[in-house]
Amino acid sequence: MSETQTLSEIQNFEGKYPKQLWYLSLVEMWERFCFYGMRGVLAFFMVDQLHLSDQKSNLQYGAIQAFVYAFTFIGGIFADKILGFRKSLFWGGSLMIIGNLILAFNPQDLFYLGITLSIIGTGFFKPNISSMVGELYHEKDNRRDAGYGLFYAGINVGGLLGGAMCIYLGKYYSWHLCFLSAALVMAFGLSTFIFTKKYLGPIGNSPLLHLAKTKRTAYEIIVYVGSLLCIPLIFIMVKNTAFTDYFMYTIGVVALIYFLYEIFMVKERKAQYKLFAAFVFIFCYFIFMAISEQSGGSLSLFAKDNLDHNLLFLSIDPNVVNNSVNSLFVIVFSPIVGILWLLMYKKKIEPNTVVKFGIGFLLLALSFYVFYATRFFANEQGISSLNIFTLAYLLLTLGELCLGPIGMSIITKLSPKKMFGMMMGLWFLSSAFGQLAAGKLGAEMSSIENASLMTKLMSYTEGYKQLAIYSLIAGLALIIVSPMIKKLMAEVR
């Protein structure tokens, strides 16, 4: 393959997938190992090693995850306007490696410093791979959905490995090894990008190539220095969840104003309608994340205390299942769901994207009702069935597959190319608010300190029943209003 391909040559690829998609998926796969590995151990580590209460741990988890996703919005803007996707990705990946090495050195005393560097790094790294995947396709290329489907399934291999390995290493061997494994894998991912970026042609280059090199370098240095100056501020806010709330509400208002400004600057009415439609999907994603992201918080603590170790014919740690089974189900069922949509499309009965989102919420409702139903399978000590818990995760994953892959795809379809980074950042920012809400919801259903296992079981499962009701209402509402949103989307499916 030529190392100097033009964008047109890359986009006019033969077959189902462009070759560059495999490289980008591999890089993202290792980043997902690091991210899901960290996400899966946060609440457990804070209760087990920092001796926080379940309630405080849920709030802290929500705050950390909120910052991670909020910074993807900021990172997306700087990538769009100054760094370009490539340099943004390299800078972010480097900070993530340093953050995890600090955690590996002294996880108990340097926890918040390591997490702070990981937060900033993820913000610069995370939105850019997704945006580069979008640029591999022409705006009207119908193969884009399949590309994002493969990307989504492929990166979950990293989620599966990281989710299982990090908690296992930390719980049974050493927390130093847990965080070191995340750092080493992230370094491998960044090396993969360095060796394969030559095949991306102009994709991901700096948007300031028209400026003199000295001026461009000055702008880039300002971004690097500015992000490092944020370290003390984020450190303080992550430790104090009340400050996190103020920050999130402020950035939420700023992001909304900036989004409306960008819409106003787009003069074509049809394009404005599409951006409003994209915002509806982004808002729905926020609600979905607020409910489904109990995985790293309340469900992690529920698995720690209230589940047996019996999964079918295997004996397995419930936290390993909680952290990795979602990714396993994505890998197994993502191609099956993709084939199902394809068959329905051929028969002209495929639901539109809005209805797919609605179906996703209905499956989410069913999954949380099954989480609630674990109370009916508990013994006298408050220990319930890992099998029922895993069944709930299967339903949750099927719901996620109706949103996740097509969500990223639909945002790039509805957005003008020059707004890809900002819109992907907004997609991840909605997830940040979802994470914050997830932490608060998890804290609300946490029982008092030193409660019995049965009291914890009843408290958490009652909360899961409420989340099932919220999901059901959201799913039915989306299906009802789908014709109106479809009109805003114009020709986009």
Side-chain angles (χ1 to χ4, degrees):
M1 190 195 306
S2 169
E3 295 182 11
T4 55
Q5 278 187 300
T6 64
L7 184 62
S8 179
E9 286 172 335
I10 290 170
Q11 291 178 340
N12 289 318
F13 62 92
E14 294 181 1
K16 198 172 182 181
Y17 305 110
K19 291 182 180 178
Q20 291 84 354
L21 180 65
W22 299 97
Y23 304 141
L24 292 175
S25 295
L26 190 62
V27 175
E28 182 74 346
M29 183 181 87
W30 295 120
E31 188 271 338
R32 293 288 82 190
F33 180 108
C34 179
F35 179 82
Y36 277 100
M38 292 300 94
R39 186 193 76 154
V41 303
L42 281 177
F44 187 101
F45 180 85
M46 287 187 284
V47 170
D48 189 61
Q49 295 291 307
L50 304 184
H51 310 297
L52 302 185
S53 67
D54 280 16
Q55 188 174 55
K56 177 67 174 169
S57 176
N58 270 300
L59 287 172
Q60 205 78 63
Y61 168 80
I64 291 168
Q65 289 294 94
F67 269 114
V68 166
Y69 281 90
F71 260 78
T72 61
F73 176 70
I74 298 167
I77 292 172
F78 281 122
D80 270 350
K81 307 293 183 187
I82 298 173
L83 296 181
F85 296 142
R86 297 187 188 198
K87 287 183 178 175
S88 181
L89 187 150
F90 183 79
W91 175 240
S94 301
L95 290 176
M96 289 171 74
I97 293 165
I98 295 167
N100 280 298
L101 287 174
I102 288 171
L103 287 167
F105 176 70
N106 190 338
Q108 286 82 9
D109 296 333
L110 300 177
F111 178 74
Y112 290 106
L113 177 61
I115 287 295
T116 297
L117 281 165
S118 293
I119 285 168
I120 299 170
T122 306
F124 278 98
F125 188 102
K126 192 173 173 61
N128 300 311
I129 294 273
S130 304
S131 299
M132 283 194 274
V133 169
E135 286 203 46
L136 297 175
Y137 296 88
H138 288 297
E139 285 184 21
K140 295 182 180 178
D141 193 332
N142 292 327
R143 295 172 294 182
R144 186 186 300 222
D145 277 7
Y148 270 107
L150 173 72
F151 180 70
Y152 197 74
I155 61 179
N156 272 279
V157 174
L160 170 65
L161 297 173
M165 189 178 292
C166 289
I167 190 71
Y168 188 80
L169 287 172
K171 205 170 176 180
Y172 295 105
Y173 289 95
S174 157
W175 287 106
H176 301 281
L177 271 180
C178 163
F179 296 115
L180 181 62
S181 69
L184 292 175
V185 163
M186 191 64 224
F188 187 76
L190 202 56
S191 302
T192 304
F193 179 73
I194 291 167
F195 286 113
T196 60
K197 66 180 181 178
K198 59 190 176 185
Y199 300 115
L200 290 169
I203 293 173
N205 282 337
S206 169
L208 303 181
L209 288 177
H210 59 284
L211 297 179
K213 189 174 180 183
T214 50
K215 194 172 184 181
R216 189 168 73 241
T217 303
Y219 280 127
E220 289 170 2
I221 289 171
I222 289 169
V223 173
Y224 299 144
V225 173
S227 58
L228 293 177
L229 290 175
C230 288
I231 291 172
L233 185 66
I234 298 168
F235 181 88
I236 293 166
M237 287 194 289
V238 165
K239 282 199 80 169
N240 189 323
T241 53
F243 291 159
T244 305
D245 291 351
Y246 298 139
F247 172 80
M248 289 301 297
Y249 300 146
T250 303
I251 198 174
V253 171
V254 170
L256 193 58
I257 292 169
Y258 183 71
F259 172 72
L260 292 172
Y261 165 76
E262 288 283 8
I263 283 185
F264 180 76
M265 295 304 290
V266 175
K267 301 302 180 188
E268 190 189 350
R269 184 58 58 91
K270 187 178 172 183
Q272 288 180 336
Y273 286 155
K274 286 181 182 178
L275 285 168
F276 277 119
F279 189 79
V280 172
F281 288 114
I282 287 167
F283 182 73
C284 290
Y285 191 56
F286 152 69
I287 298 171
F288 191 90
M289 293 299 283
I291 297 168
S292 67
E293 273 301 311
Q294 296 303 313
S295 303
S298 72
L299 285 170
S300 175
L301 299 177
F302 183 74
K304 170 178 171 284
D305 294 326
N306 291 106
L307 294 175
D308 62 34
H309 286 237
N310 303 315
L311 180 60
L312 297 178
F313 309 109
L314 303 171
S315 176
I316 188 165
D317 186 283
N319 281 103
V320 170
V321 173
N322 178 68
N323 289 4
S324 60
V325 77
N326 173 240
S327 292
L328 175 63
F329 286 148
V330 168
I331 295 162
V332 173
F333 288 98
S334 185
I336 296 170
V337 171
I339 291 166
L340 178 65
W341 295 143
L342 201 61
L343 291 173
M344 293 176 82
Y345 173 74
K346 286 180 179 175
K347 292 180 180 289
K348 299 188 174 164
I349 55 169
E350 183 190 12
N352 64 52
T353 305
V354 193
V355 174
K356 285 179 183 177
F357 265 57
I359 293 168
F361 273 101
L362 296 181
L363 287 164
L364 184 66
L366 191 56
S367 76
F368 271 89
Y369 187 79
V370 175
F371 282 128
Y372 162 71
T374 54
R375 63 162 56 189
F376 303 120
F377 296 85
N379 63 19
E380 293 168 1
Q381 287 76 44
I383 305 295
S384 189
S385 167
L386 182 57
N387 288 317
I388 303 301
F389 183 84
T390 306
L391 172 63
Y393 257 115
L394 172 59
L395 294 165
L396 188 152
T397 304
L398 293 174
E400 180 189 333
L401 287 172
C402 293
L403 279 88
I406 59 170
M408 286 192 289
S409 177
I410 202 72
I411 295 304
T412 57
K413 284 180 182 178
L414 290 167
S415 310
K417 186 182 168 185
K418 67 185 179 74
M419 292 174 65
F420 270 12
M422 192 271 286
M423 291 303 289
M424 288 307 296
L426 205 58
W427 172 263
F428 289 123
L429 183 62
S430 73
S431 187
F433 279 95
Q435 303 281 353
L436 187 69
K440 291 184 181 300
L441 289 167
E444 281 291 316
M445 62 179 89
S446 297
S447 57
I448 54 171
E449 283 191 63
N450 302 317
S452 69
L453 292 184
M454 182 57 80
T455 304
K456 285 186 175 184
L457 176 86
M458 290 299 163
S459 182
Y460 275 126
T461 52
E462 189 60 35
Y464 299 147
K465 185 173 78 170
Q466 291 301 313
L467 296 183
I469 294 168
Y470 299 153
S471 303
L472 180 64
I473 293 167
L476 293 174
L478 261 177
I479 291 169
I480 291 166
V481 302
S482 63
M484 188 169 66
I485 300 169
K486 198 177 172 187
K487 281 184 183 176
L488 291 175
M489 294 166 67
E491 79 285 351
V492 176
R493 278 190 57 79

